[in-house]
Amino acid sequence: MQVPAQVEYEKATSVGQALSLLARYAPAGRILAGGHSLIPMMKLRLAQPEVLIDINGIAGLRYISRSGHELRIGALARHADLLSSELAGQHFTILHDAERVIADPVVRQWGTIGGSLCQADPSEDLSAAFAALKGSMIIHGPGGSREVPARAFHTGPYETVVGPAEMLTEIRLPVRRDTGSAYLKVCRRAGDWPIGAAGAAIWLADGRIADVGIGLTAVGAAHFVAAEAEEFLRGQPAGEEAFARAGEIAAAHCNPVADQRGPVEYKRHLVGELTVRVLRLAVRRALGLGSMEPAS
Ligand SMILES: Cc1cc2nc3c(=O)[nH]c(=O)nc-3n(C[C@H](O)[C@H](O)[C@H](O)COP(=O)(O)OP(=O)(O)OC[C@H]3O[C@@H](n4cnc5c(N)ncnc54)[C@H](O)[C@@H]3O)c2cc1C
């Protein structure tokens, strides 16, 4: 049986206290949220923190609420909170699409949104969804807080801009009119990590694509974004011809690797097909033509 190395344990009940503990122990301290990623990494000795700083006692970090033109998600909100949030589903169907296919109910009950993002797994689903929605992350540290675009949050596989004495506290998503969004994932079995997945958010004006966000995961897209396909789509009529070309562009510009989940060409094919489907679905939703719930 794999067991983690011996580790000290501290419990924070406020963001300020968590930051003090991080500052005291950095770089040997590590935040513990749901532990679904960190504890397995510790068992495998891929992570060896000397001190765990448990933030589950910070009551004010678990929320999903609207503030002005933003949806705000506290870092300690669980996957299950997001899945059951009517507010989130009302504005961003993509989040419910994604949460329905993330892991299993046990992981979703305890795994946090902040933990998922900070783990920065290159196959993580919400990073693609938040990139598509052009959200931002609020990071607190010794010098105060800063806001970082979701698209600049990850610096590489398992790496983010969050420093050893900092913590992610909130995710912000802009609420805009005439929006539709969708997320689709292909995996080997229910609850598994994606072979490939795509999310799209689309903003329409007079039948044309005024703005669009396309997020990709598990396929080596830089910052989880299909930037070239987005650029092509801006200003185009929202129709099949443009979606097909965007799918080709997204497939050509991602950088998947062959592994136990499939060869490169298969993953590129998935990217092309999923990009077309999420764009089509996002536009239908923006136009109020029915949700066409994706199969999970
Ligand atoms: C069986 C299984 C299946 C899964 N399937 C999927 C899947 O299909 N799709 C998917 O996207 N994910 C999947 N996951 C990942 C899952 O979503 C994450 O493990 C989980 O949500 C991470 O959150 P946590 O709260 O448990 O993080 P933790 O394990 O507690 O922390 C993860 C990392 O983030 C850091 N951290 C946590 N919170 C903060 C914070 N607020 N600020 C700074 N750093 C922080 C920790 O120090 C640690 O380094 C799966 C996990 C399991 C175990």
Side-chain angles (χ1 to χ4, degrees):
M1 190 175 72
Q2 289 161 329
V3 289
Q6 179 140 357
V7 64
E8 298 297 315
Y9 175 87
E10 298 267 11
K11 193 161 175 121
T13 53
S14 69
V15 170
Q17 192 188 1
L19 292 175
S20 301
L21 290 166
L22 281 169
R24 188 191 307 163
Y25 295 114
R30 195 84 169 256
I31 286 179
L32 174 72
H36 274 303
S37 292
L38 183 55
I39 302 297
M41 298 266 289
M42 288 170 64
K43 286 182 175 176
L44 293 168
R45 310 288 164 117
L46 293 172
Q48 297 207 35
E50 289 167 24
V51 185
L52 284 181
I53 300 164
D54 184 346
I55 60 169
N56 287 283
I58 307 179
L61 268 191
R62 184 174 179 178
Y63 56 86
I64 298 169
S65 60
R66 179 155 177 185
S67 174
H69 295 293
E70 283 178 339
L71 185 81
R72 296 186 172 185
I73 303 169
L76 267 184
R78 314 281 162 177
H79 289 294
D81 296 337
L82 198 49
L83 182 55
S84 63
S85 165
E86 281 183 28
L87 190 61
Q90 178 193 336
H91 294 297
F92 305 112
T93 326
I94 184 174
L95 297 178
H96 280 185
D97 290 348
E99 281 296 359
R100 248 182 242 122
V101 291
I102 290 178
D104 50 55
V106 175
V107 174
R108 292 201 293 260
Q109 282 300 324
W110 200 240
T112 65
I113 310 305
S116 279
L117 296 176
C118 292
Q119 179 66 18
D121 190 297
S123 298
E124 204 265 320
D125 287 290
L126 286 180
S127 298
F130 292 143
L133 292 170
K134 304 188 179 186
S136 59
M137 317 307 185
I138 306 299
I139 298 166
H140 276 79
S145 67
R146 59 193 174 110
E147 184 165 357
V148 176
R151 293 165 173 230
F153 184 75
H154 299 94
T155 50
Y158 305 100
E159 285 177 8
T160 72
V161 295
V162 182
E166 292 183 317
M167 68 183 284
L168 171 68
T169 53
E170 187 176 81
I171 298 97
R172 294 184 179 172
L173 302 172
V175 175
R176 293 157 66 180
R177 290 162 59 89
D178 300 322
T179 309
S181 62
Y183 192 84
L184 289 171
K185 160 170 163 175
V186 171
C187 47
R188 294 175 300 181
R189 55 184 173 269
D192 197 7
W193 292 86
I195 302 170
I202 209 155
W203 294 273
L204 297 176
D206 301 325
R208 286 186 178 266
I209 299 169
D211 196 8
V212 61
I214 303 174
L216 299 174
T217 194
V219 291
H223 303 288
F224 294 89
V225 178
E228 297 81 2
E230 290 177 350
E231 198 179 312
F232 162 76
L233 281 170
R234 259 177 237 115
Q236 296 283 338
E240 287 298 319
E241 205 177 316
F243 301 160
R245 181 70 193 122
E248 287 169 5
I249 296 171
H253 282 88
C254 65
N255 197 17
V257 291
D259 59 14
Q260 77 279 15
R261 290 190 166 85
V264 168
E265 280 318 305
Y266 171 57
K267 293 184 180 184
R268 278 195 200 284
H269 170 76
L270 278 186
V271 168
E273 188 58 35
L274 291 174
T275 299
V276 170
R277 292 188 191 192
V278 288
L279 287 168
R280 190 184 290 145
L281 187 51
V283 168
R284 282 186 64 85
R285 287 170 171 173
L287 296 172
L289 295 175
S291 68
M292 275 184 21
E293 287 295 330
S296 54

